[in-house]
Amino acid sequence: MTEDLHFAHLAWPFLDDRHRALGPDLDRWAHALAVPGLADNQPSRATVDQSCRSIVRALGDAGFLRLCVDMADGSSHRLDCRAICIARETLARHHALLDFAFAMQGLGSGAISLAGTDEQRAQYLPRVVAGQSIAAFALSEPIAGSDVSAMACTAERLGDHYVLNGEKTWISNGGIADFYVVFARAPGTQRSAGVSAFIVEATTPGLDVAERLDVMSPHPLARIRFQDCRVSSMRLLGVEGGGFKLAMQTLDIFRTSVAAAALGFARAALDAAVQRANTRQMFGNTLGALQLTQSKIAQMACSIDAAALLVYRAAWMKDRGRRITREAAMAKLAATESAQTVIDAAVQIHGGEGVRVGAKVEKLYRDIRALRIYEGATEVQQIIIGSDVLKAAQAACQGTTA
Ligand SMILES: Cc1cc2nc3c(=O)[nH]c(=O)nc-3n(C[C@H](O)[C@H](O)[C@H](O)COP(=O)(O)OP(=O)(O)OC[C@H]3O[C@@H](n4cnc5c(N)ncnc54)[C@H](O)[C@@H]3O)c2cc1C
């Protein structure tokens, strides 16, 4: 696939010249990157851990992690949602772990970018940007995933420190992170009230990795446990009780970028499908010469452009300071669901080769799946969009009748 086809959408009016330069720059960097074990289709946990550390360091050395961290001191951009989306789309097109490593440095440090004191920012963000410190975002619990306000992990204030007890699960970078941003509630509080956020160093006594979790698209992931884990009040992020809002604000920044990663996977699947259709001989011609194949390719290309329009609309609105609850949810819902369909069509076009372990499309088939679940499952996005549309219609109606 030529560079032009991968970057044609960068000419859209949603984007500026710095975005147009970023896609090809990052693409060249990713092409040239050599990480031992990255090409393994079924890598061991140790290989995945080591690959992630190497990728984070390489992204930091190349300066790309500045894009996903808001240093707000003139040494970095303010968070530029369109740049984050282009980065994730481009990295995901190359390899799921490249996207993962980039995204988690942003998500894991996002609450520090948003609410950290000058001291906290100075202590953590430069190391995150340099790729010297690995970040993690610890919100979900065994009993609190989609219903995150059901969280049970507690943080009890005792003098100048807090004592954390409880568990967090599905924590990306769990096991290799240098620090976790942890959300926990004051004992006796309910739902979203009383939740605070803390920076917890991985080496803090009372914090341990209870279980490493293996998933179909491998990346470092763990259930972590807090047992009388003492955290200095200097590590409280933002105001006491402001943690739930901070978690939602952090997720808000990165939700659109999950859609961008899905777009990258879908583009990689289309590339592979086109290559296969143009070379596979059957019935005296190529597979691509058959009209049913052209129909499939047409559907895939349309889905990709539709998803891209939703992604960059939401990112553009965010960069203009607009509220994007509905638009970000639409982008995530449409891009992740359609990427799954596009990748499935690519597997179909490959025939038996498509399900063979080690095939590019077989890996993409596994890579895309979790994106429809994390950072708000598809059903959660449907509820956000549906209720927002209904509310807007009610407000318009009241405005008319008032
Ligand atoms: C690979 C991976 C990485 C992750 N990384 C992190 C991380 O770094 N940090 C972190 O804090 N968490 C992380 N998570 C957790 C993730 O956010 C949760 O898995 C997600 O919120 C869903 O929660 P759950 O798994 O408990 O599923 P549940 O909450 O049990 O939901 C199960 C299913 O119910 C459906 N559902 C949800 N709401 C509704 C509804 N209202 N009506 C009907 N159906 C509904 C959805 O289909 C959903 O998939 C990660 C998860 C995965 C899989």
Side-chain angles (χ1 to χ4, degrees):
M1 192 71 46
T2 69
E3 230 186 46
D4 277 359
L5 282 174
H6 285 140
F7 300 121
H9 64 301
L10 300 185
W12 289 349
F14 292 130
L15 301 167
D16 298 335
D17 284 345
R18 65 177 187 284
H19 303 121
R20 295 188 180 104
L22 174 63
D25 275 358
L26 203 45
D27 192 55
R28 277 189 291 276
W29 176 84
H31 262 303
L33 183 71
V35 172
L38 193 60
D40 291 3
N41 194 52
Q42 312 236 296
S44 67
R45 195 183 285 159
T47 302
V48 173
D49 287 358
Q50 194 43 49
S51 297
C52 273
R53 288 193 187 96
S54 305
I55 295 165
V56 169
R57 188 53 86 103
L59 281 165
D61 287 347
F64 290 122
L65 293 175
R66 286 174 186 279
L67 296 171
C68 62
V69 178
D70 180 5
M71 305 270 282
D73 62 356
S75 68
S76 175
H77 302 281
R78 302 292 307 200
L79 283 179
D80 175 340
C81 193
R82 288 169 293 170
I84 293 172
C85 287
I86 289 168
R88 291 201 64 180
E89 179 190 339
T90 308
L91 293 170
R93 183 161 50 71
H94 281 272
H95 198 290
L97 271 190
L98 298 189
D99 166 60
F100 168 80
F102 173 84
M104 281 315 301
Q105 288 298 91
L107 184 65
S109 67
I112 306 177
S113 285
L114 286 171
T117 60
D118 289 347
E119 230 178 339
Q120 290 167 338
R121 297 164 70 83
Q123 188 178 351
Y124 290 97
L125 297 185
R127 292 182 61 78
V128 172
V129 164
Q132 291 162 353
S133 195
I134 294 187
F137 176 82
L139 179 66
S140 305
E141 297 182 10
I143 57 149
S146 305
D147 183 10
V148 68
S149 59
M151 78 171 68
C153 188
T154 55
E156 184 173 8
R157 179 143 199 170
L158 289 177
D160 63 354
H161 62 270
Y162 291 82
V163 180
L164 270 59
N165 278 293
E167 275 189 356
K168 295 284 169 185
T169 196
W170 302 116
I171 305 311
S172 294
N173 277 340
I176 67 162
D178 293 294
F179 69 88
Y180 298 82
V181 167
V182 180
F183 299 84
R185 64 168 63 261
T189 59
Q190 301 287 322
R191 306 301 294 171
S192 59
V195 175
S196 299
F198 305 90
I199 307 168
V200 184
E201 301 270 353
T203 51
T204 312
L207 162 59
D208 72 290
V209 173
E211 183 186 9
R212 290 293 302 264
L213 307 170
D214 296 316
V215 285
M216 60 207 282
S217 172
H219 71 245
L221 200 65
R223 177 165 61 86
I224 59 174
R225 188 168 45 201
F226 301 90
Q227 288 172 305
D228 293 331
C229 175
R230 287 163 65 102
V231 177
S232 161
S233 56
M234 306 290 284
R235 298 263 161 81
L236 171 72
L237 268 172
V239 294
E240 199 177 69
F244 193 81
K245 190 170 170 207
L246 187 55
M248 295 305 120
Q249 283 172 335
T250 310
L251 290 170
D252 258 3
I253 300 171
F254 291 97
R255 184 164 295 128
T256 309
S257 78
V258 179
L263 186 56
F265 292 144
R267 285 195 198 281
L270 179 61
D271 287 357
V274 166
Q275 160 78 13
R276 177 75 179 176
N278 279 336
T279 51
R280 172 70 170 160
Q281 296 293 318
M282 68 170 70
F283 305 116
N285 211 327
T286 61
L287 175 59
L290 302 173
Q291 287 191 332
L292 283 176
T293 308
Q294 290 164 13
S295 165
K296 280 197 188 76
I297 299 282
Q299 288 287 358
M300 294 162 85
C302 282
S303 299
I304 286 172
D305 273 11
L309 282 161
L310 287 173
V311 167
Y312 290 105
R313 173 184 71 164
W316 173 76
M317 286 177 67
K318 179 84 182 165
D319 289 341
R320 289 172 66 91
R322 308 261 288 275
R323 178 179 173 271
I324 59 157
T325 308
R326 186 198 301 190
E327 290 78 9
M330 283 182 168
K332 185 179 185 276
L333 169 70
T336 56
E337 290 293 325
S338 71
Q340 183 86 65
T341 309
V342 165
I343 293 166
D344 188 60
V347 170
Q348 193 71 10
I349 283 173
H350 278 72
E353 285 297 329
V355 292
R356 189 164 167 176
V357 173
K360 172 81 180 169
V361 290
E362 176 269 335
K363 180 169 187 316
L364 289 166
Y365 196 80
R366 292 182 281 115
D367 288 338
I368 186 60
R369 191 60 185 87
L371 278 67
R372 294 167 56 208
I373 295 171
Y374 63 60
E375 294 190 37
T378 289
E379 290 80 356
V380 174
Q381 308 307 328
Q382 286 170 333
I383 290 168
I384 292 171
I385 299 163
S387 63
D388 198 61
V389 169
L390 289 165
K391 257 190 243 155
Q394 279 162 4
C397 222
Q398 278 158 7
T400 319
T401 51

